[in-house]
PDB file of all heavy atoms in Angstrom:
ATOM      1  N   ARG C 171       9.346  14.610   8.853  1.00 94.00           N
ATOM      2  CA  ARG C 171       8.155  14.488   9.698  1.00 94.00           C
ATOM      3  C   ARG C 171       8.485  13.643  10.972  1.00 94.00           C
ATOM      4  O   ARG C 171       9.071  12.517  10.822  1.00 94.00           O
ATOM      5  CB  ARG C 171       7.049  13.856   8.931  1.00 94.00           C
ATOM      6  CG  ARG C 171       5.681  13.930   9.556  1.00 94.00           C
ATOM      7  CD  ARG C 171       4.525  13.812   8.519  1.00 94.00           C
ATOM      8  NE  ARG C 171       4.621  12.571   7.627  1.00 94.00           N
ATOM      9  CZ  ARG C 171       3.682  12.250   6.757  1.00 94.00           C
ATOM     10  NH1 ARG C 171       2.646  12.957   6.659  1.00 94.00           N
ATOM     11  NH2 ARG C 171       3.923  11.217   6.114  1.00 94.00           N
ATOM     12  N   ALA C 172       8.109  14.016  12.130  1.00 95.00           N
ATOM     13  CA  ALA C 172       8.307  13.230  13.379  1.00 95.00           C
ATOM     14  C   ALA C 172       7.559  11.970  13.293  1.00 95.00           C
ATOM     15  O   ALA C 172       6.433  11.802  12.678  1.00 95.00           O
ATOM     16  CB  ALA C 172       7.904  14.120  14.496  1.00 95.00           C
ATOM     17  N   PRO C 173       8.058  10.983  14.101  1.00 94.00           N
ATOM     18  CA  PRO C 173       7.305   9.764  14.205  1.00 94.00           C
ATOM     19  C   PRO C 173       5.898  10.065  15.002  1.00 94.00           C
ATOM     20  O   PRO C 173       5.676  11.084  15.520  1.00 94.00           O
ATOM     21  CB  PRO C 173       8.218   8.887  15.256  1.00 94.00           C
ATOM     22  CG  PRO C 173       9.601   9.495  14.986  1.00 94.00           C
ATOM     23  CD  PRO C 173       9.259  10.930  14.673  1.00 94.00           C
ATOM     24  N   THR C 174       5.056   8.960  14.933  1.00 94.00           N
ATOM     25  CA  THR C 174       3.727   9.214  15.450  1.00 94.00           C
ATOM     26  C   THR C 174       3.541   8.598  16.857  1.00 94.00           C
ATOM     27  O   THR C 174       2.557   8.578  17.485  1.00 94.00           O
ATOM     28  CB  THR C 174       2.672   8.453  14.570  1.00 94.00           C
ATOM     29  OG1 THR C 174       2.990   7.093  14.401  1.00 94.00           O
ATOM     30  CG2 THR C 174       2.591   9.153  13.145  1.00 94.00           C
ATOM     31  N   GLN C 175       4.690   8.119  17.489  1.00 93.00           N
ATOM     32  CA  GLN C 175       4.648   7.661  18.863  1.00 93.00           C
ATOM     33  C   GLN C 175       5.679   8.577  19.709  1.00 93.00           C
ATOM     34  O   GLN C 175       6.752   8.850  19.203  1.00 93.00           O
ATOM     35  CB  GLN C 175       5.137   6.290  18.999  1.00 93.00           C
ATOM     36  CG  GLN C 175       4.260   5.337  18.139  1.00 93.00           C
ATOM     37  CD  GLN C 175       2.754   5.306  18.742  1.00 93.00           C
ATOM     38  OE1 GLN C 175       2.507   5.329  19.919  1.00 93.00           O
ATOM     39  NE2 GLN C 175       1.926   5.370  17.848  1.00 93.00           N
ATOM     40  N   PRO C 176       5.118   9.116  20.906  1.00 96.00           N
ATOM     41  CA  PRO C 176       6.061   9.840  21.666  1.00 96.00           C
ATOM     42  C   PRO C 176       7.326   9.004  22.160  1.00 96.00           C
ATOM     43  O   PRO C 176       7.185   7.866  22.348  1.00 96.00           O
ATOM     44  CB  PRO C 176       5.161  10.320  22.832  1.00 96.00           C
ATOM     45  CG  PRO C 176       3.763  10.008  22.378  1.00 96.00           C
ATOM     46  CD  PRO C 176       3.886   8.857  21.399  1.00 96.00           C
ATOM     47  N   GLY C 177       8.380   9.672  22.436  1.00 95.00           N
ATOM     48  CA  GLY C 177       9.523   9.075  22.944  1.00 95.00           C
ATOM     49  C   GLY C 177      10.840   9.856  22.673  1.00 95.00           C
ATOM     50  O   GLY C 177      10.785  10.885  22.181  1.00 95.00           O
ATOM     51  N   GLN C 178      11.982   9.201  23.029  1.00 97.00           N
ATOM     52  CA  GLN C 178      13.273   9.600  22.844  1.00 97.00           C
ATOM     53  C   GLN C 178      13.811   9.169  21.472  1.00 97.00           C
ATOM     54  O   GLN C 178      13.892   7.859  21.385  1.00 97.00           O
ATOM     55  CB  GLN C 178      14.166   9.391  23.994  1.00 97.00           C
ATOM     56  CG  GLN C 178      13.613   9.847  25.306  1.00 97.00           C
ATOM     57  CD  GLN C 178      13.596  11.404  25.268  1.00 97.00           C
ATOM     58  OE1 GLN C 178      14.419  12.142  24.738  1.00 97.00           O
ATOM     59  NE2 GLN C 178      12.455  12.074  25.973  1.00 97.00           N
ATOM     60  N   TYR C 179      14.165  10.023  20.632  1.00 96.00           N
ATOM     61  CA  TYR C 179      14.678   9.550  19.358  1.00 96.00           C
ATOM     62  C   TYR C 179      15.992  10.207  18.975  1.00 96.00           C
ATOM     63  O   TYR C 179      16.531  11.135  19.699  1.00 96.00           O
ATOM     64  CB  TYR C 179      13.663   9.914  18.159  1.00 96.00           C
ATOM     65  CG  TYR C 179      12.398   9.100  18.262  1.00 96.00           C
ATOM     66  CD1 TYR C 179      11.429   9.536  19.055  1.00 96.00           C
ATOM     67  CD2 TYR C 179      12.204   8.024  17.417  1.00 96.00           C
ATOM     68  CE1 TYR C 179      10.086   8.852  19.133  1.00 96.00           C
ATOM     69  CE2 TYR C 179      10.988   7.359  17.456  1.00 96.00           C
ATOM     70  CZ  TYR C 179       9.890   7.730  18.366  1.00 96.00           C
ATOM     71  OH  TYR C 179       8.804   7.107  18.497  1.00 96.00           O
ATOM     72  N   VAL C 180      16.705   9.825  17.820  1.00 96.00           N
ATOM     73  CA  VAL C 180      17.797  10.622  17.273  1.00 96.00           C
ATOM     74  C   VAL C 180      17.461  10.803  15.943  1.00 96.00           C
ATOM     75  O   VAL C 180      16.872   9.899  15.166  1.00 96.00           O
ATOM     76  CB  VAL C 180      19.096   9.897  17.448  1.00 96.00           C
ATOM     77  CG1 VAL C 180      19.587   9.767  18.958  1.00 96.00           C
ATOM     78  CG2 VAL C 180      19.077   8.390  16.847  1.00 96.00           C
ATOM     79  N   ILE C 181      17.913  12.049  15.435  1.00 96.00           N
ATOM     80  CA  ILE C 181      17.919  12.193  14.032  1.00 96.00           C
ATOM     81  C   ILE C 181      19.308  11.892  13.529  1.00 96.00           C
ATOM     82  O   ILE C 181      20.393  12.347  14.136  1.00 96.00           O
ATOM     83  CB  ILE C 181      17.600  13.756  13.690  1.00 96.00           C
ATOM     84  CG1 ILE C 181      16.408  14.162  14.428  1.00 96.00           C
ATOM     85  CG2 ILE C 181      17.615  13.965  12.087  1.00 96.00           C
ATOM     86  CD1 ILE C 181      16.234  15.657  14.226  1.00 96.00           C
ATOM     87  N   GLU C 182      19.505  11.237  12.404  1.00 96.00           N
ATOM     88  CA  GLU C 182      20.800  10.861  11.936  1.00 96.00           C
ATOM     89  C   GLU C 182      21.110  10.986  10.487  1.00 96.00           C
ATOM     90  O   GLU C 182      20.214  11.155   9.709  1.00 96.00           O
ATOM     91  CB  GLU C 182      21.017   9.316  12.293  1.00 96.00           C
ATOM     92  CG  GLU C 182      20.174   8.341  11.624  1.00 96.00           C
ATOM     93  CD  GLU C 182      20.375   6.985  11.831  1.00 96.00           C
ATOM     94  OE1 GLU C 182      21.577   6.550  12.007  1.00 96.00           O
ATOM     95  OE2 GLU C 182      19.384   6.127  11.813  1.00 96.00           O
ATOM     96  N   TYR C 183      22.366  11.478  10.320  1.00 97.00           N
ATOM     97  CA  TYR C 183      22.782  11.551   8.856  1.00 97.00           C
ATOM     98  C   TYR C 183      23.422  10.255   8.475  1.00 97.00           C
ATOM     99  O   TYR C 183      24.344   9.820   9.288  1.00 97.00           O
ATOM    100  CB  TYR C 183      23.871  12.627   8.728  1.00 97.00           C
ATOM    101  CG  TYR C 183      24.359  13.026   7.397  1.00 97.00           C
ATOM    102  CD1 TYR C 183      24.105  14.310   6.771  1.00 97.00           C
ATOM    103  CD2 TYR C 183      25.107  12.005   6.636  1.00 97.00           C
ATOM    104  CE1 TYR C 183      24.608  14.513   5.512  1.00 97.00           C
ATOM    105  CE2 TYR C 183      25.478  12.294   5.409  1.00 97.00           C
ATOM    106  CZ  TYR C 183      25.257  13.526   4.822  1.00 97.00           C
ATOM    107  OH  TYR C 183      25.622  13.823   3.475  1.00 97.00           O
ATOM    108  N   ALA C 184      23.053   9.581   7.446  1.00 95.00           N
ATOM    109  CA  ALA C 184      23.470   8.258   7.154  1.00 95.00           C
ATOM    110  C   ALA C 184      23.965   8.330   5.631  1.00 95.00           C
ATOM    111  O   ALA C 184      23.309   8.925   4.807  1.00 95.00           O
ATOM    112  CB  ALA C 184      22.471   7.272   7.309  1.00 95.00           C
ATOM    113  N   LEU C 185      25.058   7.623   5.450  1.00 95.00           N
ATOM    114  CA  LEU C 185      25.596   7.515   4.132  1.00 95.00           C
ATOM    115  C   LEU C 185      24.714   6.688   3.147  1.00 95.00           C
ATOM    116  O   LEU C 185      24.120   5.739   3.683  1.00 95.00           O
ATOM    117  CB  LEU C 185      27.046   6.886   4.194  1.00 95.00           C
ATOM    118  CG  LEU C 185      28.175   7.701   4.955  1.00 95.00           C
ATOM    119  CD1 LEU C 185      29.383   6.906   4.886  1.00 95.00           C
ATOM    120  CD2 LEU C 185      28.306   9.011   4.262  1.00 95.00           C
ATOM    121  N   GLY C 186      24.802   7.046   1.914  1.00 92.00           N
ATOM    122  CA  GLY C 186      23.986   6.266   1.047  1.00 92.00           C
ATOM    123  C   GLY C 186      24.313   4.766   0.939  1.00 92.00           C
ATOM    124  O   GLY C 186      23.634   3.781   0.616  1.00 92.00           O
ATOM    125  N   GLN C 187      25.614   4.624   1.081  1.00 89.00           N
ATOM    126  CA  GLN C 187      26.309   3.313   1.048  1.00 89.00           C
ATOM    127  C   GLN C 187      26.149   2.650   2.309  1.00 89.00           C
ATOM    128  O   GLN C 187      26.804   2.845   3.347  1.00 89.00           O
ATOM    129  CB  GLN C 187      27.836   3.483   0.781  1.00 89.00           C
ATOM    130  CG  GLN C 187      28.709   2.138   0.794  1.00 89.00           C
ATOM    131  CD  GLN C 187      30.128   2.458   0.610  1.00 89.00           C
ATOM    132  OE1 GLN C 187      30.617   3.594   0.468  1.00 89.00           O
ATOM    133  NE2 GLN C 187      31.060   1.355   0.619  1.00 89.00           N
ATOM    134  N   GLY C 188      25.120   1.659   2.357  1.00 86.00           N
ATOM    135  CA  GLY C 188      24.927   0.887   3.635  1.00 86.00           C
ATOM    136  C   GLY C 188      24.329   1.544   4.701  1.00 86.00           C
ATOM    137  O   GLY C 188      24.047   0.981   5.784  1.00 86.00           O
ATOM    138  N   ARG C 189      23.922   2.908   4.477  1.00 91.00           N
ATOM    139  CA  ARG C 189      23.235   3.662   5.595  1.00 91.00           C
ATOM    140  C   ARG C 189      24.094   3.642   6.865  1.00 91.00           C
ATOM    141  O   ARG C 189      23.424   3.552   7.874  1.00 91.00           O
ATOM    142  CB  ARG C 189      21.807   3.056   5.877  1.00 91.00           C
ATOM    143  CG  ARG C 189      20.907   3.316   4.706  1.00 91.00           C
ATOM    144  CD  ARG C 189      20.456   4.818   4.621  1.00 91.00           C
ATOM    145  NE  ARG C 189      19.642   5.164   3.440  1.00 91.00           N
ATOM    146  CZ  ARG C 189      20.050   5.945   2.424  1.00 91.00           C
ATOM    147  NH1 ARG C 189      21.390   6.452   2.448  1.00 91.00           N
ATOM    148  NH2 ARG C 189      19.340   6.122   1.504  1.00 91.00           N
ATOM    149  N   ALA C 190      25.356   3.820   6.796  1.00 91.00           N
ATOM    150  CA  ALA C 190      26.267   4.008   7.986  1.00 91.00           C
ATOM    151  C   ALA C 190      25.989   5.278   8.573  1.00 91.00           C
ATOM    152  O   ALA C 190      26.015   6.312   7.842  1.00 91.00           O
ATOM    153  CB  ALA C 190      27.760   3.781   7.580  1.00 91.00           C
ATOM    154  N   ARG C 191      25.847   5.502   9.866  1.00 94.00           N
ATOM    155  CA  ARG C 191      25.587   6.734  10.537  1.00 94.00           C
ATOM    156  C   ARG C 191      26.936   7.431  10.709  1.00 94.00           C
ATOM    157  O   ARG C 191      27.944   7.022  11.286  1.00 94.00           O
ATOM    158  CB  ARG C 191      24.913   6.467  11.883  1.00 94.00           C
ATOM    159  CG  ARG C 191      24.754   7.796  12.678  1.00 94.00           C
ATOM    160  CD  ARG C 191      24.285   7.544  14.086  1.00 94.00           C
ATOM    161  NE  ARG C 191      22.969   6.803  14.164  1.00 94.00           N
ATOM    162  CZ  ARG C 191      22.436   6.489  15.308  1.00 94.00           C
ATOM    163  NH1 ARG C 191      23.098   6.691  16.453  1.00 94.00           N
ATOM    164  NH2 ARG C 191      21.207   5.807  15.345  1.00 94.00           N
TER     165      ARG C 191
END
Side-chain angles (χ1 to χ4, degrees):
R171 194 159 54 174
T174 57
Q175 298 300 317
Q178 300 298 320
Y179 293 82
V180 294
I181 309 168
E182 58 179 328
Y183 184 116
L185 298 178
Q187 181 185 355
R189 290 286 174 251
R191 179 189 294 181

